Structures are given as structure tokens and as C-alpha cells.
């Protein structure tokens, strides 16, 4: 049995294709040469850290290193799942992403439809340039701007509110107000950039459709409702599905920079929790376990939503 | 075609809404610029909105006099350039071969790259790697770990596949090898998308703050964003030079922080309009099949 197997596997490559891998390696040697550094990059900086995940299952000791540290099985995970802070971070991750979905998701769609209706090409182009701009500012800068315009007493917003005779609002220091501010700043930063993809979809709509609607006497709103929206529906659906897939993942900069001590009930999310527990308190195994938990949950969410996207006849991400 | 009154009303309405959106986008930024240029009394009296009141350059003078701020700026420019050049080099090296259907193992490599977009070791394993490579408190920790973006790679690869193959074939007939084709034919045709991706790399590095927070403790190696964070959010003062001279006495922290924000944003605002026409088409190429 074993003999025939090896015999077959030796014979097969010769029968099917007369050329071994060495032939292709030689023929495409320059292409392979180009790939050496990038592949080395992915192995060293992406796949080697994946090995570091074992820290989650070890009692990591800085003097012994990853290899020699003793295994502790799932103890780190048990501790994580017993910790209130972890649940708070998990809840907040979903909370902040949920608010971004509900309020932030429609913003670029509405913006794209509005901008598309602008007749003057020049006005359109200038406004687009302005609307993209916040996307290119760092979160530190945005945090600095936010601290300034929302500052109590002489910040711009407070000054306006007071001049209208209302009381000052604790935008950044009370948790529900902070949540609204956080969401609003997110929309401010990303809506303009997000609209690009919808504008692209709108550009692809054949103009005959609009001309036919004109003949039928349709008004502008009617055309938006019956032509533009249905035409960009697939884009909306796919982006919505992909957004759901990313609901358990959250970046570090935005919650960390906008958050503060008074609102940590809402601003402490998984990414900031991992930083606090891992790098600030040096509890490497706990932080790695939380990171692994998030990666796995994220991957599951993404796979399921991508599967749904493919099933619903849309092109998923893979 | 008849231009109906309702259409006119609609156009005015749309233009006004657009204007409001643009104003909402710009006002916060203009307010910061205005505060950075205003006199202390005007700031304290809440008189500053989007136009400087009582023009005053003291904050900028303080920044320019602070050698650590200037160094931080120069240092960040160097890091950003190195990161962009290395990143673009690796992206080109990876994207071109992966467009060739004849290349054996192409799908496996592609899969290996795409997988890293959806799963990663996480913060602690990344940190351990940087530590084990002895890159903590070294500029390399800010350059190397994220220098090749799988997303940018896919955008470039998608663009390369849109180029006509016949051009490459004729170059090969003329005796070019694959590397020659890449440099003589493919890259010159790809200038817009190369400019876009360079902008993405450069802005990403210029704005990055997290890696510096994790990997850098030596204040001499603080890039601009981390230094800014310390000044703006943690309210540390701009360094040494502020302590002496008569500038310090009449400098308001708000004005100084605003000036720092403007100082760090200026380079992007200067570069960005020139590249704008490229990145819209660039991102669309990527969006078609991301």
C-alpha cells in the first residue's frame, strides 16, 4: 500500500505536467525575486506574532521568555471572563460601534445624494474637497479641536449656547453626552470620505434612466427615490453587512483620545482595555487572551456576514 | 427643456444644504486657527469664532523657539518619508507578480496576505515581537511593523490588472525581463495610483499615534502626534524655551494648544489639494474589488 502510494505520487507529476516546480521557479525567477521581501514582511510581522498568541495560555514570565514560561491552560481566560472590567469594555465596544452604525452609517449616503444633486461642477468639486478634509486629520488633532470647541465657558459651542440663553452642556464629561459627542465627531470625520464610494455607484447609473424619468414628468425628489436610491441599494447593503461584521472590532485612537476619566463607563473599550491591562499593568497573558477573544469573535462575525453577503447575491469581500 | 420653478427652488435648497455641510466641516478647524492667532483677552472674552480677534503671533513664536517641537517635526518628516518609500517599494514588489496568472503559488500567497487583514496576533504579541527585535525606543519600531498595507497592495494589484497586456508582451519580445517591464512599462502608466497610495501611506504615518505610544518612551524620539497628545490632552507645557523671556507670561494655554494643532496639520493641508484629483480615482479602483 505504502509502496504503491509513493510510486504513484512519484509518477504522477511527470505524467500530468512534464515540468516540475523548478521549471516555473526558473522561468519566473524575477517575479519570485520581487516577492521575497514582501512575503518575508508578512511572515515576520504578521505570522510570527500569531505564534505569540500562546502567551494567552502561559504564565508569562519576563525572565523566562515565551518558550520557557509554564503553561496554565485556560486560566487566563477564566480570569478574563470573571472580570467586570472586561464585560464593560465588551459592552462599550458594541455600544460605540452600534451608535456609529445607527447614526454614522446613513450620513455618507445622504451626503452623496445631496452632493450629486449639485448642478455647478465647480461648486461640487470644491465642496467635495472640503468634505474629505477631516478624514486626513489625526485623532490627536481632532481630539485637540474637540477639547477646544467643546471647552466649558469659552469654547465656541458653549459660547453659542449661552448666547442663546441655554445652560452649558457637559459634552465631554457626562457619559451620555459624551456618547453623542463621540458619535458626532465620528460622523464629522468620516462622512465626507465615506461618500466617495456612493458617489462612484451613482456615477455608474445610466443617464437614460433619468432622461426617461424626465419625459414621464418625474420631479427631482421622485428621481432620487425611484432611480438613485434603488441603484445604490446593492452598495448600501454590502457596506451595511460589512459594517455589521466589524461590530466587535474597534480602533484604539478615537476612544482613547476622546475618552477621559469621567466617562470611562462608556469610553473604555476592548482596545483600550488591552492596552491598560497589558502594557500598563504588564499582565501580558490576560491582555493576550482578551486580544485573542476579540480576534476570534471578529473573524466569526466577518465570516458569517460575508457568507450572508454572498448568499444574498452580493459580492462579498472574499 | 423647460426649467421649472420647482427645480430652481430645489437647486437653491441643495446648494444651501451643501454649504451648511461644508461650513460644519470647516468651522471647527477655522475656530482653532482663529484662536491660535487671537489675543488672550479676546479668547477669554469668548469673542473668537472663525476670525482672529486682536491678531497675535506669540503662540507660534513660542513653538518656533521650542527646539524640541521643531525637532519633532523634522523627525516625523523623516519617519514619514522612510515609511512611505519602503512601503511603496514593498507594495509594488508584491502587487506586480501577483497579477500574473501564470505564477505558481500565486493564490496561496494571496490567501496568506488576505488572511492577515482579518486575523492578527493582537497588541501584546505585536509588542513582544518589537521588543524581541530590540526595536523598542528605536525609530524602526515606528517604520517597520506596519510598513506594508494589504489594502494598498490589493488596490495596486487591481489597478495593474486593468493595464493592457499587449504592452507588456511587446516589451518582452523586445528583450525585457519581468523587472524591466515593471519599471519601464507598468510603473510609468501607474502614476496616479502610485501617488494616491503614497498619500495614504504618508498620511497614515504622519497621523499615527498608537505605535509611538506603545513603543517609544524616550521623549527625544517622540513623533509629532505623541508630543502633541502630551501637550493638548495631558496639558504638558511646550518645552524649556517657554520658561524664560517675556513671551511666557502672557501666553494662554488654549492659544498655544491651538497653535500646536495648526502647526501639525499644516503639512497635510498643504500637500492634500495637489493630490486630491488622484485619490478619488485611486480609492474607486480599490472599491471595485476591495
Amino acid at each position: 500500500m505504502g509502496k504503491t502510494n509513493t510510486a504513484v505520487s512519484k509518477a504522477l507529476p511527470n505524467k500530468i505536467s512534464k515540468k516540475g516546480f523548478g521549471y516555473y521557479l526558473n522561468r519566473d525567477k524575477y517575479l519570485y525575486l520581487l516577492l521575497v521581501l514582501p512575503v518575508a514582511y508578512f511572515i515576520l510581522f504578521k505570522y510570527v506574532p500569531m505564534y505569540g498568541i500562546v502567551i494567552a495560555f502561559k504564565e508569562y514570565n519576563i525572565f523566562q521568555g515565551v518558550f520557557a514560561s509554564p503553561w496554565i491552560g485556560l486560566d487566563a481566560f477564566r480570569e478574563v471572563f470573571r472580570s467586570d472590567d472586561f464585560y464593560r469594555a465588551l459592552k462599550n465596544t458594541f455600544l460605540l460601534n452600534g451608535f456609529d452604525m445607527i447614526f454614522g452609517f446613513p450620513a455618507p449616503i445622504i451626503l452623496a445624494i445631496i452632493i450629486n444633486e449639485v448642478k455647478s461642477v465647480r461648486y461640487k468639486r470644491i465642496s467635495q474637497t472640503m468634505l474629505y478634509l477631516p478624514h486626513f486629520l489625526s485623532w490627536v488633532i481632532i481630539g485637540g479641536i474637540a477639547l477646544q470647541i467643546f471647552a466649558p465657558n469659552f469654547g465656541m459651542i458653549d459660547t453659542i449656547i449661552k448666547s442663546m440663553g441655554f445652560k452649558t452642556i457637559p459634552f465631554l464629561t457626562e457619559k451620555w453626552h459624551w456618547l453623542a459627542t463621540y458619535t458626532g465627531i465620528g460622523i464629522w470625520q468620516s462622512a465626507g470620505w465615506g461618500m466617495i464610494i456612493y458617489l462612484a455607484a451613482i456615477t455608474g447609473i445610466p443617464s437614460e434612466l433619468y432622461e426617461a424619468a424626465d419625459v414621464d414628468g418625474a420631479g427631482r425628489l421622485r428621481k432620487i427615490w425611484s432611480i438613485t436610491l434603488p441603484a445604490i441599494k446593492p452598495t448600501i447593503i454590502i457596506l451595511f453587512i460589512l459594517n455589521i461584521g466589524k461590530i466587535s472590532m474597534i480602533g484604539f485612537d478615537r476612544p482613547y483620545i476622546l475618552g477621559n476619566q469621567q466617562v470611562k463607563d462608556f469610553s473604555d473599550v476592548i482596545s483600550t482595555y488591552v492596552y491598560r491591562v497589558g502594557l500598563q499593568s504588564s499582565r501580558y497573558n490576560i491582555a493576550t487572551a482578551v486580544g485573542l477573544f476579540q480576534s476570534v469573535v471578529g473573524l466569526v462575525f466577518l465570516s458569517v456576514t460575508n457568507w450572508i453577503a454572498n448568499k444574498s447575491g452580493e459580492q462579498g469581500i472574499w | 427643456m423647460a426649467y421649472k420653478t420647482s427645480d430652481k427652488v430645489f437647486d437653491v435648497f441643495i446648494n444651501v444644504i451643501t454649504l451648511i455641510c461644508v461650513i460644519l466641516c470647516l468651522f471647527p478647524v477655522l475656530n482653532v486657527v482663529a484662536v491660535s492667532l487671537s489675543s488672550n483677552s479676546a479668547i477669554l472674552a469668548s469673542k473668537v469664532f472663525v476670525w482672529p480677534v486682536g491678531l497675535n503671533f506669540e503662540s507660534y513664536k513660542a513653538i518656533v523657539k521650542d527646539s524640541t517641537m521643531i525637532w519633532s517635526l523634522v523627525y516625523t518628516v523623516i519617519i514619514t518619508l522612510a515609511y512611505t518609500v519602503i512601503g511603496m517599494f514593498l507594495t509594488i514588489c508584491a502587487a506586480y507578480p501577483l497579477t500574473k496568472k501564470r505564477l505558481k503559488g500565486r493564490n496561496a500567497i494571496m490567501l496568506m496576505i488576505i488572511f492577515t487583514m482579518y486575523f492578527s496576533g493582537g497588541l501584546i504579541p505585536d509588542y513582544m515581537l518589537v521588543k524581541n527585535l530590540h526595536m523598542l525606543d528605536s525609530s524602526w519600531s515606528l517604520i517597520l511593523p506596519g510598513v506594508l498595507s494589504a489594502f494598498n497592495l490589493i488596490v495596486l494589484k487591481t489597478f495593474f490588472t486593468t493595464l493592457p497586456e499587449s504592452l507588456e508582451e511587446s516589451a518582452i519580445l523586445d528583450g525585457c525581463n519581468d523587472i524591466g517591464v515593471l519599471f519601464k512599462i507598468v510603473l510609468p502608466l501607474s502614476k496616479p495610483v502610485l501617488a494616491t497610495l503614497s498619500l495614504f501611506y504618508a498620511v497614515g504615518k504622519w497621523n499615527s499615534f498608537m505605535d509611538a505610544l506603545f513603543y517609544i518612551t524616550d521623549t527625544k524620539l517622540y513623533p509629532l502626534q505623541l508630543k502633541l497628545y502630551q501637550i493638548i490632552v495631558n496639558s504638558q507645557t511646550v518645552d524649556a524655551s517657554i520658561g524664560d523671556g517675556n513671551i511666557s507670561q502672557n501666553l494662554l494655554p488654549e492659544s498655544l494648544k491651538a497653535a500646536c494643532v495648526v502647526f501639525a496639520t499644516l503639512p497635510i493641508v498643504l500637500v492634500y489639494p495637489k493630490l486630491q484629483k488622484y485619490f478619488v480615482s485611486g480609492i474607486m479602483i480599490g472599491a471595485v474589488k476591495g
Side-chain angles (χ1 to χ4, degrees):
Chain A
M1 190 66 192
K3 263 185 188 173
T4 38
N5 262 349
T6 42
V8 167
S9 62
K10 263 187 185 170
L12 261 179
N14 287 332
K15 273 187 185 169
I16 289 170
S17 74
K18 291 207 176 80
K19 288 146 186 169
F21 189 68
Y23 165 80
Y24 295 105
L25 199 62
N26 184 47
R27 185 190 66 183
D28 296 328
K29 54 181 178 289
Y30 294 114
L31 295 180
Y32 287 112
L33 192 67
L34 287 173
L35 278 169
V36 169
L37 281 176
V39 168
Y41 166 80
F42 280 106
I43 291 172
L44 178 58
F45 286 103
K46 300 290 170 184
Y47 283 89
V48 169
M50 286 184 202
Y51 168 76
I53 288 172
V54 297
I55 295 169
F57 305 95
K58 290 202 163 199
E59 185 59 65
Y60 180 76
N61 181 319
I62 197 150
F63 301 108
Q64 290 174 298
V66 177
F67 274 108
S69 294
W71 291 95
I72 52 162
L74 295 174
D75 282 1
F77 287 91
R78 284 194 196 100
E79 191 179 336
V80 166
F81 292 125
R82 269 201 298 266
S83 139
D84 290 339
D85 275 8
F86 166 72
Y87 287 107
R88 186 179 69 184
L90 189 64
K91 179 206 79 185
N92 287 344
T93 304
F94 284 106
L95 182 76
L96 299 190
N97 281 340
F99 262 69
D100 271 351
M101 287 278 286
I102 298 168
F103 299 102
F105 184 77
I109 303 172
I110 297 167
L111 206 55
I113 289 172
I114 293 171
I115 294 293
N116 184 55
E117 294 296 326
V118 172
K119 282 267 171 62
S120 153
V121 177
R122 193 148 171 226
Y123 183 44
K124 196 174 179 172
R125 210 184 53 224
I126 293 171
S127 1
Q128 272 174 274
T129 309
M130 300 299 161
L131 292 169
Y132 300 148
L133 186 67
H135 174 82
F136 290 88
L137 305 180
S138 77
W139 280 107
V140 175
I141 299 284
I142 294 173
I145 296 175
L147 280 177
Q148 183 176 307
I149 66 168
F150 291 118
N153 299 323
F154 45 85
M156 178 170 75
I157 308 275
D158 241 14
T159 309
I160 295 172
I161 290 173
K162 272 193 287 190
S163 72
M164 291 192 301
F166 296 104
K167 274 210 296 197
T168 59
I169 296 170
F171 286 102
L172 291 165
T173 49
E174 192 277 323
K175 59 183 192 178
W176 288 103
H177 285 96
W178 182 82
L179 182 60
T181 313
Y182 173 92
T183 311
I185 293 173
I187 295 173
W188 181 80
Q189 193 256 359
S190 62
W193 186 249
M195 104 188 146
I196 291 183
I197 194 159
Y198 295 106
L199 278 178
I202 292 174
T203 316
I205 304 172
S207 55
E208 293 88 57
L209 285 177
Y210 290 106
E211 282 154 22
D214 275 335
V215 174
D216 291 345
R220 298 277 286 273
L221 280 175
R222 181 78 213 185
K223 279 189 275 186
I224 292 173
W225 184 253
S226 306
I227 301 174
T228 314
L229 269 178
I232 62 173
K233 202 175 104 188
T235 313
I236 296 176
I237 291 173
I238 184 79
L239 287 182
F240 187 75
I241 291 173
L242 293 182
N243 264 313
I244 293 178
K246 287 188 216 141
I247 196 148
S248 70
M249 300 173 206
I250 192 156
F252 175 84
D253 291 20
R254 183 172 161 209
Y256 183 77
I257 288 163
L258 295 178
N260 57 58
Q261 205 55 31
Q262 286 111 302
V263 296
K264 67 175 196 286
D265 274 355
F266 276 2
S267 68
D268 194 25
V269 293
I270 295 276
S271 53
T272 56
Y273 174 79
V274 169
Y275 168 63
R276 193 154 46 81
V277 173
L279 296 191
Q280 290 188 322
S281 311
S282 298
R283 304 216 51 199
Y284 294 122
N285 54 358
I286 301 290
T288 312
V290 174
L292 177 59
F293 171 82
Q294 192 195 16
S295 283
V296 171
V297 171
L299 197 62
V300 170
F301 264 103
L302 259 180
S303 308
V304 170
T305 51
N306 191 60
W307 179 79
I308 294 171
N310 284 325
K311 278 284 154 190
S312 59
E314 307 298 341
Q315 199 179 32
I317 31 177
W318 68 77
Chain B
M1 183 161 317
Y3 191 53
K4 287 182 288 186
T5 343
S6 65
D7 258 10
K8 254 185 214 161
V9 173
F10 191 84
D11 276 334
V12 170
F13 177 72
I14 283 290
N15 287 343
V16 170
I17 299 262
T18 307
L19 188 66
I20 292 172
C21 291
V22 169
I23 287 172
L24 282 177
C25 251
L26 288 187
F27 257 38
V29 181
L30 291 178
N31 178 249
V32 173
V33 177
V35 168
S36 74
L37 289 168
S38 293
S39 70
N40 293 344
S41 53
I43 297 171
L44 289 171
S46 306
K47 278 186 195 150
V48 185
F49 286 95
V50 292
W51 200 253
V53 180
L55 208 56
N56 173 349
F57 295 99
E58 296 303 315
S59 303
Y60 290 95
K61 278 185 197 154
I63 291 177
V64 176
K65 275 193 178 172
D66 180 352
S67 59
T68 67
M69 274 304 270
I70 301 297
W71 161 241
S72 195
L73 179 79
V74 174
Y75 173 69
T76 311
V77 169
I78 296 169
I79 296 263
T80 302
L81 280 177
Y83 176 84
T84 308
V85 170
I86 299 174
M88 284 309 290
F89 175 75
L90 291 177
T91 311
I92 292 166
C93 284
Y96 182 66
L98 291 173
T99 56
K100 297 283 168 267
K101 286 214 174 66
R102 62 167 204 267
L103 193 75
K104 293 279 161 186
R106 163 181 176 257
N107 288 331
I109 295 174
M110 217 40 228
L111 200 69
M112 176 195 137
I113 292 169
I114 289 174
F115 183 68
T116 65
M117 291 172 83
Y118 301 102
F119 190 82
S120 67
L123 168 62
I124 303 298
D126 281 352
Y127 177 81
M128 289 298 183
L129 176 73
V130 170
K131 194 176 162 198
N132 291 335
L133 292 173
H134 302 289
M135 294 197 305
L136 288 181
D137 267 331
S138 134
S139 313
W140 291 111
S141 67
L142 302 178
I143 298 173
L144 291 181
V147 77
L148 177 48
S149 142
F151 175 80
N152 286 356
L153 166 58
I154 290 169
V155 171
L156 190 61
K157 181 180 163 269
T158 312
F159 180 82
F160 282 164
T161 51
T162 64
L163 297 174
E165 261 178 69
S166 50
L167 275 174
E168 300 180 30
E169 280 160 13
S170 57
I172 288 187
L173 287 178
D174 288 344
C176 252
N177 62 31
D178 285 310
I179 291 177
V181 173
L182 174 61
F183 281 97
K184 286 184 196 141
I185 311 285
V186 175
L187 291 185
L189 289 172
S190 314
K191 274 182 195 146
V193 75
L194 294 178
T196 309
L197 297 182
S198 303
L199 177 76
F200 286 173
Y201 273 124
V203 171
K205 183 39 66 189
W206 185 264
N207 283 342
S208 76
F209 152 78
M210 197 167 93
D211 48 1
L213 181 70
F214 297 164
Y215 304 142
I216 303 290
T217 50
D218 183 353
T219 48
K220 280 195 212 82
L221 295 175
Y222 271 14
L224 204 52
Q225 301 297 335
L226 186 56
K227 194 162 171 56
L228 224 53
Y229 176 80
Q230 304 286 10
I231 294 170
I232 295 169
V233 183
N234 285 355
S235 289
Q236 287 180 13
T237 47
V238 173
D239 237 40
S241 55
I242 311 256
D244 51 80
N246 46 13
I247 299 168
S248 56
Q249 275 88 45
N250 41 37
L251 246 183
L252 213 58
E254 280 66 28
S255 166
L256 192 61
K257 286 177 185 179
C260 288
V261 167
V262 177
F263 179 73
T265 316
L266 216 53
I268 289 183
V269 176
L270 291 179
V271 176
Y272 153 89
K274 294 188 183 67
L275 288 163
Q276 211 228 147
K277 61 176 188 231
Y278 293 131
F279 67 65
V280 174
S281 57
I283 191 75
M284 280 178 188
I285 294 160
V288 175
K289 181 81 185 99

